[in-house]
Amino acid sequence: MSDLPTFDPPEPPKEPPKTSEFEDRVPDGLLSGWRLRSVTLSISLTLFLVNIEVSIVATSLVAIVDDLEGFNRVGWVVTSYLVTYTSLMIIWAKFSNALGRKTSMFCAVFLFAAFSGGCGGAQSMNQLIISRAFQGVGAAGCISVGFTIAYEMVAIHDYPKYAAIMTSLSALGSLVGPLIGGALSENASWRWIFLINVPAALLVCLLVLLSIPNGFPYHKQDNVSGNHQRSSQLTSPKSLDVLGAFLLLTASMLLVTALLEAGVTFEWRSAPTIVLFIISGLLWIAFVLQEFRLSKVKHTATEPIFPWDFITNKAWMGTLLLSMLSGAPYIVTMIDIPQRFETMGVGAFGAGARLIPFNLLIALGAVAVNIVAGKSKIPPIVLLTFGVICQLVGVCLLSTLDSSTSIPNAIYGYQVLTGLGIGVMFGLCVVLPPAVTKTKDLALCGGAVVQFRILGAALGLAVASTVWNNYVSSQFEQLLSSYQSSLVMKTTSAVFLLPEPQKQRVIEVLVHSYSLRMKVLIGFTAAQVIGLGMLWKRPQITFPRNETELVEGMDMPGKSG
């Protein structure tokens, strides 16, 4: 018996060595080849369309009002879009966990296309406002789900490169929006500012259907296991926090409505404004309590919309704060620069063209900072500090422009500084979430970053507009009749209908009011230092340059901020 051969049991196969702890946190569903190029094109085109829509309408409002005869509701042409666009990003992101990325992206782009057509065919202001609201619903999903797919389609060391591509397309949309809007309003029908979205968005729908795999980003796991069931990484529709989604949506919509309309449609101290703020505040408290309850209850299938771990994650909260505060100088400067030039007699198209340095540097800044972050080991906090300094210097210089006879050429240099700083913030904030949160929450993070940015824009615009309105109203009482004052407050072109002595004095008031509005941004920009402090840690957060490098300072599962 001793001569019989013996066989040792085969050793179990060894697992391939891990290149980093981050590997455990990402789905094995990275894209390559034609799929990667096609998905990148579809997301970039979507970001371009959504961002162009934010700015293109502003230069066409006069033509819209002249055609549809609804001047008393013109503010809602912009507001209805912003309210739904701002309020639904986090909800879209969370729902994409249950419905799947491909289905959610297709539905969002199709909604945007359908109601863009509805806006172009509107026969009344009410129809246009309703269509704009639903167009904003689709736009929110395009941004939120689009960024989520971008996080999941490439490895972490490629994030800066793809963020540079997508943020540059977003900024390009903001760059050409005023130009296209001004050109169409002067030379064609305003309806084309909406109708041009339809064929482009339908092309994106086709690209989404063809290029995004079914079950993405867990399609490879499903294929290996031999079944095509929903991955366990995706949540069941029954686990959705419907109550939390309702509270978040309602609270956000009421808050944004109050911020955008206070001082414009309603007085700040009026009953409608106070009621909106009170109800919104109560709903926010209820939302926080709901999320705390779901996060702390161990035996529940319902997943919170905004996990409580996010609140205790200092780095993630700092990222959201930076995103929110950088939204204010962006939107206020976008409005301020063209208004300055229109006050000096420049037409809508010419005023939009003079905004090119600002938007161009946002695009270049977003691209450059992601190239630097991807190719070097410079910690993001250093680059973000540079962005804050550029913003602060830029808005301080813009606030010094107080000449009522001409606008100095130095304004273009001030735009370059401000735009570069904002571009740095926009470019980095969209790639920071994977470095400071858990991968399973990326869908939520992508929507939250942009939603907070737009919320900050609404807050900054509300505060700046209130300062502007209060100063201008008090000065006009001494200079103009109530009829003249109402005309000038509605459109700056009415200034040139005034007799010469009055016209020059009114221009002086308007120019000084623009400087006051820019001074508001100094506070918003300086407050970004708080966000920088929340991101400070040792070792600092850095992005890996290749698959073998660790992400220094990254929060791993089970850790908070």
Side-chain angles (χ1 to χ4, degrees):
M1 298 291 292
S2 60
D3 294 333
L4 294 177
T6 60
F7 298 94
D8 295 326
E11 295 183 4
K14 295 182 179 180
E15 295 184 0
K18 297 175 183 176
T19 57
S20 76
E21 291 182 63
F22 188 79
E23 270 189 13
D24 285 339
R25 302 175 55 208
V26 296
D28 183 24
L30 306 183
L31 302 181
S32 60
W34 72 270
R35 286 188 183 275
L36 177 58
R37 291 190 292 271
S38 180
V39 174
T40 302
L41 174 63
S42 62
I43 295 175
S44 299
L45 183 56
T46 302
L47 296 178
F48 176 80
L49 292 175
V50 171
N51 279 276
I52 201 176
E53 196 62 30
V54 175
S55 57
I56 196 174
V57 174
T59 53
S60 306
L61 286 177
V62 174
I64 293 173
V65 169
D66 289 344
D67 189 13
L68 299 183
E69 300 178 350
F71 190 86
N72 60 328
R73 297 189 300 281
V74 66
W76 278 100
V77 176
V78 177
T79 303
S80 59
Y81 179 85
L82 286 178
V83 166
T84 52
Y85 177 55
T86 304
S87 304
L88 285 164
M89 288 187 184
I90 292 178
I91 295 174
W92 264 108
K94 199 66 177 179
F95 274 54
S96 75
N97 283 342
L99 302 177
R101 308 287 188 250
K102 182 174 183 177
T103 301
S104 298
M105 188 66 179
F106 178 84
C107 291
V109 178
F110 186 80
L111 269 175
F112 182 77
F115 285 99
S116 291
C119 291
Q123 299 301 309
S124 68
M125 286 295 285
N126 287 338
Q127 292 178 12
L128 178 60
I129 290 169
I130 293 172
S131 294
R132 284 281 285 168
F134 282 99
Q135 187 190 29
V137 173
C142 290
I143 295 290
S144 179
V145 184
F147 273 119
T148 301
I149 293 173
Y151 289 141
E152 296 171 333
M153 70 182 186
V154 295
I156 186 173
H157 63 272
D158 285 328
Y159 284 172
K161 177 172 69 176
Y162 284 87
I165 295 172
M166 293 174 188
T167 52
S168 64
L169 264 293
S170 299
L172 181 62
S174 299
L175 172 66
V176 302
L179 302 179
I180 296 175
L184 289 176
S185 62
E186 292 178 2
N187 303 299
S189 171
W190 60 267
R191 298 181 184 278
W192 284 105
I193 68 174
F194 300 110
L195 294 177
I196 58 175
N197 292 327
V198 178
L202 291 178
L203 172 62
V204 174
C205 286
L206 180 61
L207 289 173
V208 166
L209 288 176
L210 295 177
S211 58
I212 299 180
N214 294 326
F216 175 86
Y218 304 102
H219 51 287
K220 292 185 179 179
Q221 296 176 9
D222 289 341
N223 291 339
V224 170
S225 64
N227 64 67
H228 299 279
Q229 296 177 354
R230 180 182 298 273
S231 169
S232 61
Q233 298 288 341
L234 297 180
T235 59
S236 165
K238 295 181 179 179
S239 68
L240 294 175
D241 179 14
V242 177
L243 176 59
F246 170 78
L247 292 172
L248 175 62
L249 174 61
T250 310
S252 298
M253 290 182 68
L254 292 178
L255 177 61
V256 173
T257 301
L259 291 174
L260 291 174
E261 294 304 307
V264 180
T265 304
F266 313 117
E267 295 293 332
W268 276 94
R269 296 181 181 180
S270 67
T273 303
I274 294 173
V275 169
L276 284 173
F277 276 121
I278 290 176
I279 296 177
S280 176
L282 293 174
L283 290 173
W284 277 113
I285 293 173
F287 172 72
V288 171
L289 294 176
Q290 166 73 355
E291 302 311 290
F292 177 80
R293 182 183 68 83
L294 290 179
S295 298
K296 297 304 179 181
V297 174
K298 296 182 179 179
H299 304 291
T300 178
T302 305
E303 294 187 1
I305 289 284
F306 202 83
W308 194 253
D309 287 347
F310 280 10
I311 305 295
T312 58
N313 186 333
K314 187 176 67 172
W316 171 231
M317 289 294 100
T319 303
L320 289 181
L321 183 62
L322 288 172
S323 183
M324 182 178 74
L325 293 174
S326 63
Y330 169 69
I331 193 68
V332 175
T333 306
M334 280 275 291
I335 294 172
D336 181 87
I337 300 299
Q339 282 191 349
R340 284 180 184 271
F341 283 101
E342 287 182 25
T343 300
M344 295 299 174
V346 179
F349 179 81
R354 285 163 173 78
L355 193 63
I356 288 177
F358 177 70
N359 282 314
L360 181 61
L361 263 294
I362 292 178
L364 293 178
V367 172
V369 76
N370 278 288
I371 291 175
V372 172
K375 298 295 183 181
S376 71
K377 285 191 174 182
I378 299 177
I381 192 170
V382 175
L383 300 173
L384 289 167
T385 301
F386 171 76
V388 172
I389 292 173
C390 287
Q391 283 184 78
L392 189 57
V393 174
V395 296
C396 286
L397 291 172
L398 284 170
S399 69
T400 64
L401 298 175
D402 217 1
S403 172
S404 60
T405 57
S406 64
I407 299 177
N409 291 332
I411 192 174
Y412 300 110
Y414 303 163
Q415 288 186 59
V416 166
L417 271 176
T418 309
L420 177 61
I422 294 172
V424 168
M425 306 304 290
F426 284 7
L428 282 180
C429 282
V430 297
V431 297
L432 272 176
V436 296
T437 60
K438 302 173 185 178
T439 297
K440 70 183 183 66
D441 295 319
L442 281 184
L444 176 57
C445 296
V449 165
V450 184
Q451 180 161 332
F452 270 70
R453 181 194 302 172
I454 305 300
L455 181 61
L459 177 61
L461 183 59
V463 175
S465 297
T466 300
V467 171
W468 185 87
N469 283 328
N470 289 340
Y471 174 78
V472 170
S473 298
S474 63
Q475 294 296 313
F476 282 0
E477 286 179 0
Q478 306 169 24
L479 296 173
L480 305 172
S481 66
S482 58
Y483 176 72
Q484 290 174 322
S485 178
S486 63
L487 284 179
V488 175
M489 292 286 283
K490 289 175 181 177
T491 172
T492 54
S493 61
V495 173
F496 302 99
L497 302 177
L498 300 172
E500 187 57 40
Q502 274 186 311
K503 182 178 76 172
Q504 187 57 36
R505 181 67 184 118
V506 167
I507 290 176
E508 291 176 3
V509 171
L510 290 174
V511 169
H512 186 63
S513 71
Y514 299 147
S515 297
L516 288 177
R517 187 163 61 188
M518 295 306 295
K519 287 176 181 177
V520 171
L521 299 184
I522 297 175
F524 278 89
T525 307
Q528 293 177 34
V529 174
I530 300 173
L532 294 176
M534 297 172 72
L535 278 172
W536 179 269
K537 59 169 59 181
R538 290 185 179 276
Q540 296 296 338
I541 299 168
T542 58
F543 297 111
R545 292 178 295 179
N546 53 61
E547 294 181 0
T548 61
E549 291 187 358
L550 293 175
V551 182
E552 299 176 15
M554 179 175 290
D555 295 320
M556 290 300 162
K559 293 183 181 181
S560 60

